[in-house]
Amino acid sequence: MTTRRDFLRATAGAGAGAAFGIVPSAGLGASAAVHLGRVTPVAVGSGNGRAACARAIEVVQQGGDTLDAVIQGVNIVERDPNDTSVGYGGLPNLDGVVQLDSSVMHGPTRGAGAVASLEGVKTPSLVARDVMRYTNHVLLVGPGAKEFAKSMGYPMENLLTEESRRRWVEWRARLSDRDDYLTPEQSIHGATGFRSEASYGDGLLDSHDGVRPQGTINCNVINANGDLSGVTTTSGLAWKIPGRVGDSPIVGAGLYVDNDVGAAGSTGRGESVIKTVGGHTVVEMMRNGMSPTDACLEALRRIVTFTVEPHLLDEEGRPNFGVNYYAVNKNGEFGGAAIFAGARFAVSVDGDTRLEDSAYLFQRN
Ligand code: ASP
């Protein structure tokens, strides 16, 4: 069993892993890297991203752009009413309103675009790409993001599915025994439609607090020329305070792409990823020679170090929430890591799309 103190002692000063073929380029300083030769295209992303990764690879194999590839991939999940962590059917905020976050980065043109707290559009990743393509800005939020989406021709749609609405109604009823909403147990008048949270086997990735569902999709791709792009898209933390923005639309946190080095994205407790600038940290670790897996692990160790709030620690002083990183480097090597054992990530390479076990810091008790 690893305690927090053992863990911090064991990992203090953990150095960069072995260099893996990214060669520091002369004249650009030790931190710059160049890519040599052709690459086997790879898409890597979150565990709910198998179909997305497969689609992304299909698009790059047909000569499509890397950003179009990952967006077409995640659009499948954004439009799927049965994935309650992303896009249409995403679990709503405290007020029962679905607010979506997404960011995109296009390696070859060094482009970035993002939207946060966007309402009414199933595919926030497409709006994020439009922010990149059609504005001089990187991030639009709330009503501004919605007006922008309208101006770009997106239809405004109801994103709350019947299933997500019911889960929100049940959550509201169980929130407090001192309000006027009746739980199924309290109602003697035949309340229907309630199921307990535990009975929803929807494959959500993890939970901030063991109760509240969360989830996101991240997908990154590299094509045969070594060009990279990535996207992260989510409905964020279920039942969040209206206007709460997680890591997914924050460039450098939920996503980062440097076409000279690699791409990385995250799922899990966004606040912790934001505080440690997770995606950027992973990419910088890869720039300094770490493998994608080691870079993901090192960025997770930062999160452990930054997690000092008692309400975020378990009895052993470890984080009581999950974070997952996914990364691919300029040579097409890829990896994924999570704070706790048991997580998996999606990968599509060489005609095979599969889930692989993520590396991890801690065994779950
Ligand atoms: N990272 C997302 C957020 O904090 C949620 C998640 O991935 O579960 O908004």
XYZ file of all heavy atoms in Angstrom, residues 85 101 204-208 213-217 232-238 240 244-249 254 266-271 273-274 322 324, ligand 1:
266
model
N -21.791 11.883 -21.222
C -20.679 12.717 -20.754
C -20.251 13.757 -21.774
O -19.366 14.566 -21.503
C -19.482 11.830 -20.405
O -18.924 11.258 -21.563
N -18.287 22.137 -23.224
C -16.943 22.715 -23.346
C -16.161 21.929 -24.396
O -16.231 20.693 -24.418
C -16.158 22.554 -22.040
C -16.750 23.301 -20.844
O -17.558 24.225 -21.052
O -16.366 22.956 -19.710
N -19.272 5.765 -17.917
C -18.582 7.014 -17.603
C -17.222 6.696 -16.999
O -17.037 5.670 -16.355
C -19.414 7.847 -16.627
C -20.618 8.518 -17.298
C -21.593 8.989 -16.263
C -20.174 9.657 -18.163
N -16.293 7.553 -17.213
C -14.908 7.209 -16.941
C -14.578 7.129 -15.465
O -13.801 6.315 -15.027
C -14.003 8.271 -17.573
C -14.136 8.334 -19.079
C -13.364 9.522 -19.609
C -13.620 7.054 -19.692
N -15.126 8.005 -14.712
C -14.688 8.090 -13.330
C -15.658 9.005 -12.611
O -16.668 9.407 -13.143
C -13.280 8.698 -13.277
C -12.424 7.945 -12.280
O -12.939 7.643 -11.201
O -11.268 7.666 -12.591
N -15.312 9.363 -11.413
C -16.210 10.208 -10.654
C -15.369 11.122 -9.780
O -14.388 10.699 -9.205
C -17.105 9.315 -9.815
O -17.666 10.041 -8.777
N -15.773 12.375 -9.699
C -15.008 13.311 -8.871
C -15.067 12.913 -7.414
O -14.120 13.086 -6.685
C -15.591 14.719 -8.975
C -15.207 15.414 -10.235
N -15.074 16.754 -10.305
C -14.932 14.950 -11.454
C -14.734 17.103 -11.531
N -14.656 16.023 -12.241
N -21.327 11.537 -11.655
C -20.734 11.007 -12.875
C -19.933 12.095 -13.584
O -20.254 13.276 -13.493
C -21.934 10.622 -13.725
C -23.130 10.810 -12.887
C -22.769 11.701 -11.754
N -18.917 11.686 -14.295
C -18.174 12.612 -15.130
C -17.680 11.872 -16.350
O -17.753 10.656 -16.415
C -17.000 13.220 -14.368
C -15.969 12.196 -13.955
C -14.774 12.820 -13.303
O -14.636 12.801 -12.100
N -13.899 13.371 -14.093
N -17.161 12.578 -17.295
C -16.658 11.954 -18.511
C -16.436 12.999 -19.575
O -16.925 14.119 -19.459
N -15.678 12.614 -20.583
C -15.199 13.538 -21.608
C -14.671 12.662 -22.717
O -14.314 11.519 -22.469
C -14.020 14.366 -21.048
O -14.495 15.223 -20.015
C -13.330 15.221 -22.103
N -14.570 13.198 -23.928
C -13.776 12.485 -24.931
C -12.621 13.356 -25.392
O -12.793 14.548 -25.661
C -14.643 11.984 -26.113
C -13.772 11.193 -27.085
C -15.382 13.085 -26.819
C -14.582 10.356 -28.061
N -10.689 17.951 -27.493
C -11.304 17.469 -26.255
C -12.700 18.083 -26.185
O -12.863 19.279 -26.462
C -10.471 17.877 -25.030
O -9.141 17.365 -25.198
C -11.055 17.300 -23.735
N -13.691 17.274 -25.834
C -15.063 17.783 -25.812
C -15.849 17.087 -24.707
O -15.655 15.906 -24.454
C -15.732 17.642 -27.208
O -17.101 18.060 -27.144
C -15.678 16.233 -27.753
N -16.724 17.845 -24.032
C -17.370 17.313 -22.826
C -18.614 18.097 -22.453
O -18.767 19.267 -22.848
C -16.376 17.387 -21.645
O -16.894 16.663 -20.536
C -16.122 18.811 -21.186
N -19.466 17.452 -21.667
C -20.518 18.207 -20.975
C -20.039 18.553 -19.566
O -20.768 19.153 -18.789
C -21.825 17.411 -20.921
O -21.604 16.112 -20.433
N -18.829 18.128 -19.240
C -18.215 18.524 -17.962
C -18.790 17.757 -16.792
O -19.457 16.731 -16.933
N -18.520 18.261 -15.653
C -18.968 17.642 -14.411
C -20.494 17.718 -14.304
O -21.072 18.797 -14.429
C -18.324 18.416 -13.263
C -18.675 17.992 -11.854
C -18.211 16.570 -11.580
C -18.037 18.967 -10.874
N -21.108 16.561 -14.066
C -22.566 16.558 -13.923
C -22.988 17.432 -12.740
O -22.311 17.468 -11.720
C -23.059 15.124 -13.705
N -22.923 20.557 -12.290
C -21.981 21.637 -11.953
C -22.704 22.967 -11.699
O -23.831 23.168 -12.169
C -20.970 21.810 -13.086
C -21.607 22.182 -14.426
C -20.636 22.011 -15.590
C -21.341 22.200 -16.936
N -20.447 21.912 -18.078
N -19.672 26.914 -14.589
C -18.404 26.239 -14.256
C -17.747 25.740 -15.555
O -18.391 25.140 -16.399
C -18.661 25.070 -13.318
C -17.422 24.242 -12.968
C -17.225 23.055 -13.884
N -16.144 22.173 -13.449
C -15.701 21.141 -14.157
N -16.228 20.866 -15.315
N -14.729 20.389 -13.702
N -16.482 26.016 -15.684
C -15.738 25.577 -16.858
C -14.638 24.634 -16.392
O -13.894 24.956 -15.456
C -15.145 26.790 -17.614
C -14.191 26.331 -18.712
C -16.269 27.638 -18.206
N -14.533 23.496 -17.019
C -13.491 22.539 -16.659
C -12.233 22.737 -17.484
O -11.975 23.820 -18.024
N -11.450 21.676 -17.575
C -10.175 21.752 -18.289
C -10.326 21.591 -19.793
O -9.475 22.050 -20.556
C -9.229 20.665 -17.767
C -9.844 19.275 -17.871
O -11.067 19.140 -17.677
O -9.107 18.314 -18.143
N -11.423 20.954 -20.232
C -11.522 20.555 -21.643
C -11.372 21.721 -22.630
O -10.717 21.553 -23.663
C -12.847 19.830 -21.889
O -12.979 18.757 -20.990
N -11.940 22.911 -22.347
C -11.791 23.992 -23.321
C -10.584 24.889 -23.038
O -10.433 25.925 -23.685
C -13.085 24.784 -23.131
C -13.343 24.661 -21.667
C -12.859 23.291 -21.258
N -6.800 20.758 -20.774
C -7.443 19.554 -21.311
C -6.922 19.121 -22.653
O -7.232 18.021 -23.131
N -6.732 15.232 -21.744
C -7.068 14.683 -20.431
C -8.561 14.443 -20.289
O -9.380 15.047 -20.984
C -6.623 15.652 -19.336
O -7.365 16.846 -19.458
N -8.887 13.566 -19.352
C -10.241 13.444 -18.825
C -10.114 13.315 -17.312
O -9.057 12.967 -16.803
C -10.977 12.212 -19.391
O -10.252 11.031 -19.025
C -11.100 12.260 -20.891
N -11.210 13.564 -16.620
C -11.170 13.491 -15.163
C -11.330 14.858 -14.537
O -11.751 15.809 -15.211
N -10.986 14.967 -13.269
C -11.257 16.193 -12.509
C -10.543 17.408 -13.106
O -9.336 17.609 -12.919
C -10.867 16.003 -11.042
C -11.280 17.174 -10.177
C -11.022 16.937 -8.705
N -11.583 18.037 -7.957
C -10.955 19.208 -7.751
N -9.742 19.397 -8.204
N -11.552 20.170 -7.078
N -11.319 18.221 -13.801
C -10.742 19.303 -14.584
C -10.010 20.343 -13.764
O -8.988 20.892 -14.201
N -10.506 20.616 -12.556
C -9.870 21.651 -11.738
C -8.405 21.295 -11.470
O -7.529 22.167 -11.470
C -10.636 21.815 -10.415
C -11.969 22.558 -10.537
C -13.094 21.754 -11.192
O -12.892 20.559 -11.485
O -14.172 22.342 -11.430
N -6.494 19.412 -13.362
C -5.729 19.502 -14.607
C -5.412 20.969 -14.908
O -4.297 21.311 -15.328
C -6.516 18.847 -15.765
C -5.786 19.023 -17.086
C -6.741 17.366 -15.472
N -6.376 21.851 -14.650
C -6.140 23.277 -14.902
C -4.998 23.782 -14.009
O -4.082 24.466 -14.472
C -7.413 24.108 -14.633
C -8.491 23.782 -15.681
C -7.102 25.607 -14.651
C -9.851 24.422 -15.401
N -10.318 10.904 -10.014
C -9.549 10.367 -11.130
C -9.123 11.435 -12.124
O -9.837 12.420 -12.325
N -7.020 11.200 -16.088
C -6.381 10.359 -17.099
C -5.720 11.258 -18.134
O -6.316 12.251 -18.556
C -7.413 9.522 -17.863
C -8.315 8.728 -16.937
O -8.110 7.552 -16.724
N -9.313 9.393 -16.377
N -12.516 16.934 -17.436
C -13.914 17.194 -17.448
C -14.203 18.426 -16.650
O -13.637 18.598 -15.576
C -14.780 16.130 -16.889
C -14.343 14.736 -17.103
O -13.513 14.428 -17.915
O -14.866 13.868 -16.435
O -15.045 19.176 -17.057
